[in-house]
Amino acid sequence: MSESKYGQFVLAPRSYFFTAIASVVFAFIGFSYNAWRMEASEDNNNTRIASFQILQELAELELIVFAAHYDNNKIDGSPRKGWVKVNLIHDLSYLAVDEVHLKTKDLQKVWQTNWPNMVDHQSAAQSITHAIDSVRTEVVSELLKRLD
């Protein structure tokens, strides 16, 4: 540092250059961390929203199975509505964790195998509801893990 003619110290050119470089580095580090944090938060938010939507769709699918099997209601228990729900659940599972996605694949297989018999056979309706419960348990488990 050197003293100017007014009695104040002036930064030498090297110190000014170092300060400018350090400022740019810290700004870049701060921006990078902020961008990473926002992306991580967005991923968590997407997973959480998809998980809650999966839970809602599972409840509606279970209502379809109950309407078909216990009420013999061909409108509310329509297999077409069931297929829509099963496929929507599977599609939403791509936004959730891999374990949930695998469980939804199992649900699709169980539905495909058992939907023709769910009206008349208790075992078919139970197989579907057990698969629904399995997905539900996995979704809740993963949601609780993310809260910790």
Side-chain angles (χ1 to χ4, degrees), residues 75-127:
I75 295 171
D76 291 338
S78 170
R80 288 189 187 117
K81 288 181 181 179
W83 272 116
V84 170
K85 295 295 180 187
V86 168
N87 289 328
L88 178 58
I89 291 165
H90 180 71
D91 291 344
L92 287 168
S93 73
Y94 284 106
L95 297 173
V97 295
D98 291 338
E99 291 82 5
V100 171
H101 183 68
L102 293 174
K103 293 287 184 179
T104 62
K105 280 185 177 180
D106 293 342
L107 175 61
Q108 269 188 321
K109 290 175 189 172
V110 169
W111 177 262
Q112 185 174 14
T113 304
N114 292 293
W115 75 263
N117 301 318
M118 75 176 169
V119 173
D120 300 323
H121 299 296
Q122 178 77 21
S123 61
Q126 282 182 340
S127 294

Side-chain angles (χ1 to χ4, degrees), residues 64-73 117-123 125:
I64 291 169
V65 174
F66 291 163
H69 182 71
Y70 296 108
D71 300 337
N72 286 326
N73 186 333
N117 301 318
M118 75 176 169
V119 173
D120 300 323
H121 299 296
Q122 178 77 21
S123 61

Side-chain angles (χ1 to χ4, degrees):
M1 291 197 179
S2 60
E3 193 169 335
S4 72
K5 65 180 181 176
Y6 299 109
Q8 297 173 347
F9 287 102
V10 178
L11 293 176
R14 275 192 235 156
S15 297
Y16 177 76
F17 182 71
F18 176 73
T19 303
I21 294 296
S23 296
V24 169
V25 168
F26 285 124
F28 180 74
I29 290 170
F31 176 75
S32 298
Y33 175 76
N34 187 37
W36 170 80
R37 188 67 235 148
M38 285 176 42
E39 186 175 331
S41 294
E42 183 68 21
D43 286 345
N44 286 337
N45 191 39
N46 288 344
T47 300
R48 194 172 25 251
I49 290 171
S51 295
F52 284 118
Q53 187 65 37
I54 288 170
L55 290 174
Q56 287 179 336
E57 298 300 329
L58 287 170
E60 291 178 19
L61 178 61
E62 197 166 38
L63 285 173
I64 291 169
V65 174
F66 291 163
H69 182 71
Y70 296 108
D71 300 337
N72 286 326
N73 186 333
K74 295 182 187 229
I75 295 171
D76 291 338
S78 170
R80 288 189 187 117
K81 288 181 181 179
W83 272 116
V84 170
K85 295 295 180 187
V86 168
N87 289 328
L88 178 58
I89 291 165
H90 180 71
D91 291 344
L92 287 168
S93 73
Y94 284 106
L95 297 173
V97 295
D98 291 338
E99 291 82 5
V100 171
H101 183 68
L102 293 174
K103 293 287 184 179
T104 62
K105 280 185 177 180
D106 293 342
L107 175 61
Q108 269 188 321
K109 290 175 189 172
V110 169
W111 177 262
Q112 185 174 14
T113 304
N114 292 293
W115 75 263
N117 301 318
M118 75 176 169
V119 173
D120 300 323
H121 299 296
Q122 178 77 21
S123 61
Q126 282 182 340
S127 294
I128 295 169
T129 55
H130 286 298
I132 291 170
D133 290 339
S134 177
V135 175
R136 181 182 293 120
T137 302
E138 191 63 40
V139 169
V140 169
S141 170
E142 290 300 324
L143 280 172
L144 291 176
K145 282 181 192 175
R146 288 185 172 266
L147 290 176
D148 290 339

